[in-house]
Amino acid sequence: KYLSDAGHEPTVYEARDVLGGKVSAWRDDDGDVVETGLHIFFGAYPNMHCLFRELGIEDRLQWAPHRMTFAMQELPGEFTTFDFPPGVPAPFNMAAAILTNTKMLTLEEKIKMVPGLLPMLLEGQSFIDAQDELSVAQFMQKFGMPERINEEIFIAMGKALDFIDPDRLSMTVILTAMNRFINEADGSQTAFLDGNPPERLCEPIKQSVESKGGQVV
């Protein structure tokens, strides 16, 4: 799209007869949509939201209440949430969400997270980049974080961000996401498309490209 906006006439090649690549979807014999996976849009995706605005399809995003939901390993089938209070600026809204949740981590465990996360807030990206040589597990050991934080939070984040276990994932990946979530009031809020991605997102992009002389084949 942005090549087209700049006056070029790009040709986009789709490997299959459906749009979207990793966000493609199909209709089965009953007419139901089968997607390649769950696709969500965080508030911390400014470039994506800009694209939605430019395409005039912002109303296709359905925003969920601002909370982060975790499955509780010690209580199979049960979930707990970190609820972000509305109207509270970052990073205080996340602090409130963490402190008011009493089911997942104890107060002591929350306090033991601070030494590792406070430099991220104070030093920013320079601290985050400097952790690239450490795995999540090594970072936790370095800053004395309890293993339960890994079991309850970092395993879930690692799988969601990169499909990798914490002992193999760079802590920079986790900290980069956390930094955006902590410093943007709506950074961790999630939205879902009001339909399948090929029709509700990819098709408008295709139409935009073709309207300016480009091709999608």
Side-chain angles (χ1 to χ4, degrees):
K1 176 188 180 297
Y2 292 110
L3 286 173
S4 298
D5 292 345
H8 302 286
E9 296 183 356
T11 298
V12 180
Y13 292 92
E14 281 284 5
R16 295 168 292 187
D17 59 354
V18 292
L19 291 173
K22 287 187 176 181
V23 298
S24 56
W26 297 263
R27 291 191 181 275
D28 62 18
D29 294 338
D30 298 323
D32 297 320
V33 175
V34 179
E35 296 190 13
T36 53
L38 177 64
H39 305 292
I40 62 175
F41 300 84
F42 282 101
Y45 289 174
N47 294 337
M48 180 59 72
H49 297 306
C50 181
L51 176 63
F52 273 84
R53 287 194 298 273
E54 292 171 357
L55 293 171
I57 58 173
E58 283 183 283
D59 59 343
R60 298 185 182 184
L61 286 175
Q62 299 179 322
W63 289 95
H66 194 180
R67 64 171 59 102
M68 299 182 73
T69 304
F70 289 84
M72 301 182 67
Q73 287 194 3
E74 297 176 0
L75 298 171
E78 292 194 23
F79 298 84
T80 186
T81 61
F82 292 87
D83 296 286
F84 290 67
V88 177
F92 304 107
N93 62 340
M94 176 170 278
I98 293 173
L99 291 173
T100 54
N101 179 290
T102 59
K103 292 184 177 181
M104 179 166 280
L105 299 174
T106 66
L107 179 60
E108 180 183 359
E109 289 168 335
K110 293 172 185 176
I111 292 173
K112 287 184 176 180
M113 292 180 69
V114 174
L117 300 184
L118 187 59
M120 175 188 69
L121 290 172
L122 298 178
E123 301 176 34
Q125 197 62 42
S126 61
F127 173 79
I128 294 171
D129 292 341
Q131 312 312 308
D132 193 38
E133 297 301 318
L134 297 177
S135 68
V136 177
Q138 290 169 332
F139 179 89
M140 289 183 58
Q141 185 177 18
K142 176 180 178 179
F143 286 95
M145 292 185 179
E147 176 59 24
R148 191 157 175 264
I149 295 173
N150 181 51
E151 295 172 352
E152 298 286 7
I153 295 179
F154 288 154
I155 288 178
M157 289 191 68
K159 296 292 188 181
L161 291 168
D162 235 339
F163 305 100
I164 298 177
D165 291 327
D167 60 336
R168 299 175 56 206
L169 178 64
S170 166
M171 190 62 189
T172 294
V173 175
I174 297 288
L175 291 177
T176 298
M178 293 187 73
N179 194 42
R180 295 293 298 272
F181 290 167
I182 288 174
N183 287 298
E184 299 179 23
D186 61 352
S188 58
Q189 188 171 8
T190 56
F192 301 85
L193 279 172
D194 62 356
N196 68 79
E199 294 178 1
R200 304 301 286 168
L201 174 58
C202 300
E203 183 61 34
I205 297 174
K206 176 176 180 288
Q207 293 174 0
S208 176
V209 170
E210 292 179 338
S211 71
K212 297 170 184 173
Q215 300 181 74
V216 180
V217 295

